[in-house]
Amino acid sequence: MSKIELKHIDKFYGKNHVLKDLNLTIEDGDFMTLLGPSGCGKTTLMRQLAGFSEPEEGDVLVDGKRMNGLPPFKRNTPLVFQEYALFPHMTVYENISYGLKLKKAPKEEKDRKVAEMLEMFNLQGLDGRFPKQLSGGQQQRVAFARALVMGQEILLLDEPLSNLDQQKFGITTMYVTHDQDEALSMSDIIAVMRRGRIEQIGSPWEIYFRPATRFVADFVGTVNFLEGTAHREADGSLSVDHRGMRLRVDEDTDLQGGEPVTLVVRPE
């Protein structure tokens, strides 16, 4: 069973159709990145999963269970924001243990789990400090510790990795970014978004070397587009006529010849 499923999600803000019949599946343990330009709906999609916003249409499922209508604290899908969203009036210990406090966990359990998080994120000795007394990287690690202290199996990240050394977790992760290098280097799967829809889902290799649309090819990496006409050689191989030049193409395709095509050429 898939860990996360978003089925036919539609979201409106007023008359603005932000997410449009969007479908997405994330398998258990995958690190998936939502990649796309600002305003394409990445964070809005993540908020549907986290429970900070509800879709007008469609279903949000985790482990096959419908999450629609459940508040964030009942979904076990912690979201780490770009600005970390730490409580400024609380110490590091109080920030990390906040979820345990809501759960009414015993003090011994809180102390033990916070100590585990402090060690995991190299924050030992900082438990009595307030967020304003921490560096940006330390604040970020506190935000991660707070998100993971409850033992969740899903983590949602809204562009928070700029100061973090640990980038891989053994849990199912959805990460939002517009940084192509981050997406290509860290992800198991990338979903490229545009105007509330998913243009392509695939591995970093597939997204880079087999873009499904011109937008994906142009958005991810540097590219040149060469317009031409497909041509089948006598030996059955494919070539493209481009401004009087015959360019051989090593591509498995069912093009028969005569069709207008666009060659995607990477610098390398």
Side-chain angles (χ1 to χ4, degrees), residues 206-234:
E206 290 168 333
I207 295 295
Y208 191 78
F209 289 109
R210 293 289 183 270
T213 67
R214 188 183 183 104
F215 171 81
V216 174
D218 196 25
F219 186 75
V220 180
T222 303
V223 68
N224 293 289
F225 293 111
L226 303 180
E227 309 297 338
T229 304
H231 180 78
R232 283 292 175 186
E233 303 292 344

Side-chain angles (χ1 to χ4, degrees), residues 28-255:
D28 190 17
D30 274 356
F31 190 111
M32 170 174 274
T33 297
L34 299 179
L35 177 66
S38 296
C40 71
K42 304 186 299 294
T43 295
T44 299
L45 176 57
M46 182 175 285
R47 289 172 66 87
Q48 310 307 299
L49 180 55
F52 292 103
S53 178
E54 290 287 339
E56 273 70 39
E57 298 288 342
D59 292 317
V60 177
L61 296 100
V62 174
D63 288 330
K65 298 177 182 177
R66 192 171 183 267
M67 297 287 108
N68 299 53
L70 286 180
F73 70 90
K74 289 188 176 181
R75 295 197 183 197
N76 288 324
T77 53
L79 172 58
V80 180
F81 294 95
Q82 183 176 19
E83 65 276 12
Y84 317 143
L86 298 177
F87 299 114
H89 62 289
M90 292 185 183
T91 64
V92 168
Y93 177 95
E94 291 167 335
N95 266 282
I96 295 176
S97 65
Y98 185 71
L100 295 168
K101 178 183 177 182
L102 294 179
K103 186 184 172 184
K104 294 183 169 55
K107 185 177 186 305
E108 295 77 13
E109 181 182 351
K110 287 194 295 183
D111 289 346
R112 175 176 57 81
K113 289 189 174 181
V114 169
E116 290 174 356
M117 291 295 107
L118 292 173
E119 182 177 0
M120 178 184 295
F121 289 98
N122 195 25
L123 293 166
Q124 299 98 320
L126 302 180
D127 48 308
R129 293 190 185 182
F130 291 92
K132 67 180 180 181
Q133 297 172 313
L134 303 175
S135 68
Q138 290 168 339
Q139 290 181 35
Q140 191 168 48
R141 281 179 272 151
V142 171
F144 271 77
R146 184 178 63 183
L148 296 177
V149 74
M150 304 292 288
Q152 291 92 339
E153 298 179 350
I154 294 173
L155 183 62
L156 309 178
L157 310 176
D158 191 1
E159 301 197 56
L161 292 185
S162 59
N163 295 310
L164 193 72
D165 294 329
Q166 302 94 336
Q167 294 182 347
K168 283 285 187 178
F169 302 90
I171 58 178
T172 307
T173 304
M174 178 189 284
Y175 177 48
V176 161
T177 187
H178 60 270
D179 188 310
Q180 303 153 26
D181 292 336
E182 277 189 345
L184 291 170
S185 63
M186 297 191 320
S187 310
D188 298 316
I189 301 292
I190 297 173
V192 182
M193 292 188 65
R194 181 192 186 203
R195 296 178 180 174
R197 302 182 188 276
I198 294 178
E199 291 266 319
Q200 184 176 355
I201 300 175
S203 68
W205 190 94
E206 290 168 333
I207 295 295
Y208 191 78
F209 289 109
R210 293 289 183 270
T213 67
R214 188 183 183 104
F215 171 81
V216 174
D218 196 25
F219 186 75
V220 180
T222 303
V223 68
N224 293 289
F225 293 111
L226 303 180
E227 309 297 338
T229 304
H231 180 78
R232 283 292 175 186
E233 303 292 344
D235 61 2
S237 63
L238 178 68
S239 65
V240 173
D241 289 315
H242 170 71
R243 296 186 177 181
M245 294 184 291
R246 183 68 61 83
L247 305 174
R248 293 272 185 163
V249 180
D250 181 18
E251 184 75 27
D252 183 17
T253 175
D254 57 2
L255 290 171

Side-chain angles (χ1 to χ4, degrees), residues 17-31:
H17 198 175
V18 182
L19 300 176
K20 305 168 183 176
D21 192 26
L22 190 143
N23 295 276
L24 182 64
T25 299
I26 305 177
E27 300 299 332
D28 190 17
D30 274 356
F31 190 111

